[in-house]
Amino acid sequence: MSSTSSTSDAMDTDNGHDVSTGPLAAVSHAFHPVESDDSVTLLSLKVPIMADEGLEADSVEKKPKKEAYFDICLDVSGSMAGSGIKCARLAMKRLIDHLIKTCGVPASRITVYLFSLKCTVRRVNGDDSDKWINSISASGGTSFACVFNEVIKNTRDHLSKLGNDDVDLETTLFFFTDGEDGDTDIQGRQAARDNLVKLLKNTPRLESTVHTFGFTAGHDAKLLSWITSAGTNSGCFQYIKESSEIEKSMSTTLQLLGDSAMETIRKIEISLPNDSQDSDAHEWIPVRLESDCVSGSAVVRQRSFKGDLIKWREYRGVSSSTSTVHDMNVVWLKEDDPQRIVGMATFIQHELLRLVEAINSIGSDASLTPEQKRARLLKIDEETEAYSKVLGVMSSVSARMKLKVMRVPCMVACQRTRSLLQSFLTVKADAHKQGGSISNTSLATFNALAYGEITEAKLKAKLDSRAGKNTALFAEMDQKVTQIVKDMDLDKMEAEESVDRLRELSCAFSTNSYIDALRDGDCLCMTLDVSRGAAAIADPSQIAIKSIFPTYLTSSMFTMALGHSLSQNNPEDVHGGFDRNSAASIAPGLAHENITAVIPLYINAEHWKVAKLRMKPILGYVVTLDATGYTYSQSTTVPFLVLAKALEAYPMTEFNQRQLKLILETCDAIYQSSNSLRESTKTLVEKFCASHTQRTVDVITNNYVFLGHIICALRAGDITADEMNALWPKFEGAMVEEQMRRDMSWKVSEDQMGSVMNWFDIDRQRDIVVPGRRYREQHSAYVKALEDGNANAGVEAQYEALFNRAQTEQGVKPTDPASPISPVITASQTTTEETLAVKPEFKIPDFDPLSWQLSEASLDRLNMIQNAVSRGVDKICRMLTMVRLPLDADFPKVVASLEGAAHTELADKFFERYSTKVKLATLMQAFAHTRNSDRRSVENLMTPFEREYANGGDQITDEALQFLKSLYLAKMNSMANEIVAEVEEEYLNSKENASASTFLGTDNLSVAAGVLLEAKYRGGLGGRLATLCATSTMSLPRSKIQMLITGTYKGVKLFGDKSGSLEDIRWFPCKRTLYRMFKNYHDVFTLEEWCQFHPGRYDDYFAYRYVLDGYMDELPEEKKIEVRAIFEARWPRPAPTA
């Protein structure tokens, strides 16, 4: 039950609009939580879509895009180090991926705040988000004030851009933190909190929701509880103790978000009768409806109400006053009404959360005396006692209900609320003992219970919303079926059908044949055993088809058995709930199998007319455990998963073959009736082969379902055999590799996969450490020779010689035009190349992937990984067999291929076609890309399973061998570079002061360029030189700064950290370095040149600096006017002092 404020922001009148009544009038079910207090009213609303408002049902279904923004706040302080930051990075990646890929949120609307003692703000870029998220580390202290202030600033900026139309702003915040605030500025911290709550809760045209994720066992429950309650809509808090819990926690959050994060949700306004003499005056209260656009709820406080009529109108933002005002009938629910009991239980849960926040406020208010705190706690005691009494009455009433279908939900709701109340009493007892303070342990326990219940209620509300859409559809179904059956000649059908077929296709419980079922408006179904996780509500491909049984049931017999079993047993034992590992049974089949689901079949065209209608509520139940939870995607998913399971049958008996044909024909009927599915399947096949980015889960949700669609497309002629054969070599390998990639994410751990060193038998001591010692000795000899050989020539001559040598190596003629750096000073000293010592290189051993052989240990590891993914590969191979032979005429060949193939046998045959190295390369590539973002980020993917044994042995030009060589070289170079960097750093540290002094003091620009050449990279010494240029006095500052920024001198590239054209190696100083340069050398460059140091980013910044630092006299008159205008646009007069 969502909460709505009892006071509105403005008083509007109906401006003379007629008040509508009639058959479409809305209705509200109402009750007072405490009968003795009529100042609080709970309303459950049903609001039709009124044609006179310019809205139609289909227009509401389309739901226009809304002004929605998403802020992700990640705590990167030291307390999050270790498992905390690791869990947070994984959770944040999945959240961003869902928002962009599933919800269609533009990356520009997602902002990430990384906060410790300061806050860094970053807009998400969908292409490289994984890379920089992986680089996030945790260190330092924590200040929530800094992130609160940045969120406030960002949200206000969004609000300032809202137009005068009817679109409001919605912001959703996600906090990933352990909640340990170490900010010592208590006043600043409290001010930031107050400002955040004021903005999120009390800003017109702004709706806000805050979700929090607590990491590490020591999370601050009080702080996280407060953050979660800071929005206008209730958020969810989840505690993630370790990385294994991320999947469950994020699945819950993503289900709540659904796929409609960018779609506008319908809102209305309601007005209760007032005591004012002005009967036309209304205090309008906004109510956000559910996703079905017709149902909603509200809590109205501080308003005495007992009437039977309230007013409502469409919410249109600033234009709401023009909406037509309608009547809404109020129906008061009795004490024993199940809707009232369940609604009241949810209300009490929210009230207990509110009371916890009230206790927190009492404990943290230093202005209250102990007596005042005690008085306020006693007031909370009174409220708690009132709710406890109400809960007792509710439990008693629930227990006396005669119908189990009504009694069980009410008793469960009461029991869960009672458990939460007991936890709250513990919290309250702590508060009494500690003068209003609550221990972290008791509050954390309460939060886990409270938000768990509320989250579950929200997920159920999503199903209830879906049910609202489908109820009318199902109500019309029986009428349609009756008319369909009336037009059938069932006697003729029965006469033409064989006795054996009628006997086989009959209900095991009623013994009625499928034709007898049609006479009753029923259909025949195949029985299954299934399980599902909660994620199946949003994604039906998450349902697991565990078994297909030989028993057939009519849909009515299945429904009857389900109702009987639920009345006699625990529901979890009947349907298995949302637990993929459940063992449940609705009814036993002919062979005592545990039936938990059915699927209506295509037996013939007449039977399908009824079966396709009966399929909708059945699939709704099978996937969501609610017959009204049906969505169209269930029809295009679940039957194809059953098809994949049927192809696993072993042995492939005659009965299994007949079942397979029935399922295949059912899938055909579904496919051929869907124009959108037919149009998209061929396109997806072509894209699947064309690019690896078109194979990830955001494009192809489930490979088995996709292959089922392809089989039906081939059978329907939408894809020809010739077209499929042309794509086959690439399609087969890509499909198998893609399924392995998905399976490896949860079937193969990093320990099982091993490192590159394991696979290539790299010995760190032999291959790196010992050669590293030799390199260190050679480098020391090189340095000594360099210094001895040039001692007579002087230090500057060494650097000039280094520059001259680079000029020769890069092929730059000394007569080439110089780069735009002036003045150029001729070298006063020269030296010959022969006097320069040759710098040593760390040479790694060459690697020949053709002659290299895997060790016995590596072969064993490869077999283990291959076995881990074999089940999925085998299932893909079975479906690929039917893709090659899809037609009815080919069915005997399909059966012959599958009949003797035990589980994983087809996978074994597939792997046998390829060499050990091809398999290893493909598996290693798949494991490296288990995350979809990793796969999409790769530009050139190695062709999986490129060469078969039949086409000859491995060749050095094969992509697989080159891929293995690249892995070896990458690992060896990485370890070698660590040694080289360590030696270079030691050398550079010893020379740093001398090199820096030479660079700053020399009047020979070739010498300065030689210093940069020796530095090699803009990191390390190069970076320190850049800082020194900004902070120290030096000769020829203009030329040296330009040299640093362009990375070139006289056409010679000075740095090796970037490659490409001159534009590619340009360095853009940070704002801090630029400011330091400006302070020291403001008169060396013009305003235009300063702006070019970082084009398009700091243009206005330098204008501010000329004013604030008092350098306006250095500008020409026309520039003074321009700079003053830019400055005053930011800071209107009187201007602030510097």
Side-chain angles (χ1 to χ4, degrees), residues 144 148 175 177 210-212 222-231:
F144 278 83
F148 291 163
F175 269 88
T177 177
V210 185
H211 302 291
T212 55
K222 181 177 179 181
L223 179 60
L224 295 184
S225 178
W226 173 83
I227 294 175
T228 310
S229 64

Side-chain angles (χ1 to χ4, degrees), residues 478-546:
D478 288 336
Q479 297 177 7
K480 290 182 178 179
V481 169
T482 300
Q483 186 59 46
I484 290 170
V485 173
K486 183 179 179 181
D487 295 337
M488 290 182 183
D489 189 345
L490 296 177
D491 292 336
K492 181 181 179 182
M493 284 178 58
E494 190 168 30
E496 294 174 349
E497 189 66 272
S498 69
V499 175
D500 289 342
R501 186 169 167 83
L502 288 174
R503 184 182 299 114
E504 179 180 339
L505 298 178
S506 61
C507 176
F509 291 179
S510 67
T511 70
N512 286 341
S513 68
Y514 78 89
I515 296 179
D516 293 329
L518 286 176
R519 288 191 173 96
D520 296 332
D522 209 346
C523 67
L524 195 67
C525 307
M526 186 174 290
T527 56
L528 313 166
D529 183 18
V530 305
S531 63
R532 86 278 299 153
I537 295 174
D539 177 10
S541 69
Q542 295 298 313
I543 191 171
I545 311 297
K546 297 161 69 175

Side-chain angles (χ1 to χ4, degrees), residues 52 66 113 119 233 308 353 363 382 441 567 634 637 808 1110 1128:
D52 61 348
K66 64 185 177 186
Y113 304 79
C119 181
N233 303 317
D308 56 6
L353 276 174
E382 294 175 7
T441 302
S567 67
Q634 294 166 4
T637 301
T808 302
E1128 292 184 352

Side-chain angles (χ1 to χ4, degrees), residues 921-987:
T922 306
L923 286 166
M924 292 184 78
Q925 176 178 252
F927 186 79
H929 303 155
T930 50
R931 290 197 300 266
N932 295 316
S933 55
D934 290 336
R935 173 52 57 96
R936 288 192 295 268
S937 66
V938 178
E939 292 184 9
N940 298 312
L941 191 75
M942 179 199 75
T943 303
F945 301 110
E946 176 190 18
R947 175 189 292 277
E948 295 188 32
Y949 264 140
N951 298 327
D954 293 330
Q955 297 181 14
I956 193 64
T957 56
D958 288 347
E959 288 185 53
L961 268 64
Q962 291 302 311
F963 176 75
L964 292 174
K965 183 175 181 178
S966 70
L967 292 179
Y968 171 86
L969 293 177
K971 183 62 179 178
M972 290 294 290
N973 280 321
S974 174
M975 294 190 294
N977 287 338
E978 289 178 7
I979 302 292
V980 172
E982 182 180 338
V983 173
E984 290 283 340
E985 185 69 17
E986 291 173 2
Y987 169 64

Side-chain angles (χ1 to χ4, degrees), residues 904-1072:
T904 75
E905 186 170 327
L906 291 186
D908 295 339
K909 289 180 179 179
F910 176 85
F911 285 125
E912 286 170 3
R913 291 159 48 187
Y914 302 95
S915 73
T916 300
K917 294 174 185 177
V918 168
K919 289 186 289 187
L920 174 62
T922 306
L923 286 166
M924 292 184 78
Q925 176 178 252
F927 186 79
H929 303 155
T930 50
R931 290 197 300 266
N932 295 316
S933 55
D934 290 336
R935 173 52 57 96
R936 288 192 295 268
S937 66
V938 178
E939 292 184 9
N940 298 312
L941 191 75
M942 179 199 75
T943 303
F945 301 110
E946 176 190 18
R947 175 189 292 277
E948 295 188 32
Y949 264 140
N951 298 327
D954 293 330
Q955 297 181 14
I956 193 64
T957 56
D958 288 347
E959 288 185 53
L961 268 64
Q962 291 302 311
F963 176 75
L964 292 174
K965 183 175 181 178
S966 70
L967 292 179
Y968 171 86
L969 293 177
K971 183 62 179 178
M972 290 294 290
N973 280 321
S974 174
M975 294 190 294
N977 287 338
E978 289 178 7
I979 302 292
V980 172
E982 182 180 338
V983 173
E984 290 283 340
E985 185 69 17
E986 291 173 2
Y987 169 64
L988 291 175
N989 285 340
S990 66
K991 289 200 62 180
E992 180 177 335
N993 293 335
S995 299
S997 177
T998 300
F999 182 83
L1000 295 174
T1002 184
D1003 290 331
N1004 186 336
L1005 292 179
S1006 294
V1007 172
V1011 174
L1012 297 185
L1013 276 166
E1014 186 181 60
K1016 290 182 67 173
Y1017 307 113
R1018 286 204 174 91
L1021 177 58
R1024 289 189 283 273
L1025 284 173
T1027 303
L1028 285 170
C1029 284
T1031 58
S1032 305
T1033 302
M1034 62 180 169
S1035 62
L1036 306 177
R1038 178 182 179 85
S1039 299
K1040 292 177 181 177
I1041 289 174
Q1042 287 182 331
M1043 187 185 297
L1044 268 170
I1045 288 176
T1046 62
T1048 62
Y1049 175 62
K1050 289 188 176 181
V1052 176
K1053 190 166 68 171
L1054 304 178
F1055 295 113
D1057 52 352
K1058 291 188 178 181
S1059 60
S1061 64
L1062 297 185
E1063 289 76 16
D1064 290 333
I1065 61 173
R1066 182 180 178 84
W1067 172 55
F1068 297 111
C1070 67
K1071 190 174 182 180
R1072 183 178 182 183

Side-chain angles (χ1 to χ4, degrees), residues 68-70 98-110 261-262:
Y69 292 88
F70 302 85
H98 177 85
L99 289 173
I100 294 175
K101 300 298 181 182
T102 304
C103 302
V105 177
S108 61
R109 294 192 175 220
I110 305 174
M262 291 298 294

